[in-house]
Amino acid sequence: MSQEQVVRIAQPGAAEVMQLELVEVGAPGPGEVRVRHAFCGLNYIDIYHRSGVYPLPMPSGLGMEASGIVEAVGEGVSHLAEGDRVAYASQPVGAYATARVMPARCVVRLPDGIGLDTGAAMMLKGLTVQYLLRKTVPQGGLQAGDTVLFHAAAGGVGLIACQWARHLGLKLIGTAGSDEKCELARQHGAAHVINYRREDFAARVKEHTEGRGVKVVYDSVGADTWAGSLACLSTFGLMVSFGNASGVVPPVSLASLSANSLYLTRPVLFAHLATRESTQAMADELFDVVSQGVVRIPIGQRYALAEVQQAHRELEARTTTGSGLLVI
């Protein structure tokens, strides 16, 4: 039993609701491990949890991604041992902490060549890109030479997607909110970039595809890009809505999909991480592309745990690039 620093909220709200508290952390039970954190990943889903877009039982911790060292292993856990370097992207929330006890099924050992900072920066974002580009694909799948549209291409998920898509031979059109962010996406492998704040991204996508549109749109922005994203799709195209950074998408009329016989899905990472086997298989593919140097994990921001309010304000303002970390 030890007292650990934990970021907690008593109610949903702005960044100020997050407070550092001392919490007793005990021994792991069956199927659990206790991890001493080195780094905690910052993700936009943390904003949704803190603000109440995705309701949590109160009071609550925050954070879904971290890396560190296994301190203790509960009964029935065979894939991890004390002293292992590990990382995870997992429910339940509570990664913003110096240490925690958690289910072992979504915790994986890090390969020797991947640092703890990279591990915390890549798990949730990298596994998201894995299930998007490898599992959430349009009718007939994706082949080398196909074109996809990826919004927020200069964010943590987006920069990984730019690189992984290039590795797969896909032509990724990326959108971002400034010329600097567009250039960053281009440097990481985007075939074309569009500054959506000063350009009509739907019109530009049609220009880049000679009027055909794209086979799939990966959209984490939400309300602001919804209508334009649908307009970018080719016949039988797939609309993948996986986030709400600009607000929740309003109720959708099925008739809006009928003009081009479009497909629509709202996937969630944690459905793909339901078992240890599926988690390990996805992580192995992520580790492979990172270890090869095919995908680099850019870390744009580092904050102390006590600076978590500032970290959330900058993330929410969408002024960050790449991945952000809380350094323990």
Side-chain angles (χ1 to χ4, degrees), residues 8-304:
R8 292 177 66 80
I9 60 173
Q11 68 217 15
E16 292 74 21
V17 300
M18 295 183 293
Q19 299 295 324
L20 269 178
E21 300 179 9
L22 287 177
V23 175
E24 296 285 346
V25 176
E32 295 181 330
V33 291
R34 187 175 69 228
V35 179
R36 172 68 50 188
H37 287 158
F39 301 92
C40 306
L42 292 159
N43 296 282
Y44 215 92
I45 192 172
D46 305 342
I47 304 290
Y48 300 152
H49 285 146
R50 190 210 73 217
S51 64
V53 172
Y54 296 166
L56 295 172
M58 295 292 158
S60 178
L62 289 173
M64 308 194 75
E65 178 182 44
S67 67
I69 307 297
V70 174
E71 286 191 322
V73 176
E75 181 182 351
V77 177
S78 59
H79 70 291
L80 297 171
E82 186 176 333
D84 281 347
R85 299 167 61 257
V86 297
Y88 65 84
S90 177
Q91 294 174 321
V93 299
Y96 292 1
T98 52
R100 72 182 296 201
V101 170
M102 60 178 300
R105 61 179 173 80
C106 287
V107 181
V108 295
R109 286 197 306 156
L110 280 173
D112 291 341
I114 296 178
L116 286 169
D117 54 351
T118 299
M122 76 177 183
M123 289 300 291
L124 193 144
K125 303 168 192 68
L127 294 176
T128 295
V129 174
Q130 195 277 344
Y131 91 75
L132 290 174
L133 294 182
R134 303 290 286 157
K135 297 183 176 185
T136 314
V137 295
Q139 185 183 51
L142 287 171
Q143 288 80 40
D146 286 340
T147 305
V148 305
L149 174 64
F150 209 102
H151 289 299
V157 173
L159 292 181
I160 296 172
C162 288
Q163 297 172 80
W164 208 327
R166 178 175 58 184
H167 175 61
L168 295 172
L170 303 174
K171 297 177 182 177
L172 184 145
I173 301 174
T175 73
S178 70
D179 290 344
E180 292 77 15
K181 287 187 173 185
C182 284
E183 181 56 30
L184 190 61
R186 190 194 307 276
Q187 291 171 3
H188 283 78
H192 303 285
V193 291
I194 302 168
N195 183 337
Y196 67 85
R197 293 193 188 279
R198 60 176 180 80
E199 297 180 273
D200 180 339
F201 73 82
R204 296 282 284 124
V205 165
K206 288 299 180 71
E207 291 176 14
H208 288 308
T209 59
E210 298 179 341
R212 294 185 302 273
V214 297
K215 294 183 73 171
V216 58
V217 174
Y218 296 107
D219 190 339
S220 63
V221 175
D224 287 355
T225 51
W226 174 258
S229 291
L230 289 184
C232 291
L233 287 165
S234 61
T235 303
F236 306 125
L238 173 64
M239 176 67 191
V240 182
S241 177
F242 70 103
N244 321 287
S246 68
V248 176
V249 175
V252 176
S253 166
L254 291 179
S256 65
L257 308 177
S258 64
N260 285 315
S261 294
L262 302 179
Y263 293 79
L264 168 64
T265 185
R266 179 57 171 91
V268 178
L269 169 63
F270 303 105
H272 293 276
L273 302 179
T275 68
R276 192 184 77 78
E277 292 76 16
S278 62
T279 300
Q280 190 65 59
M282 292 171 67
D284 285 345
E285 188 168 351
L286 173 61
F287 294 159
D288 182 55
V289 294
V290 172
S291 296
Q292 289 182 57
V294 169
V295 171
R296 295 183 296 107
I297 308 298
I299 299 172
Q301 299 77 215
R302 297 175 188 248
Y303 310 87

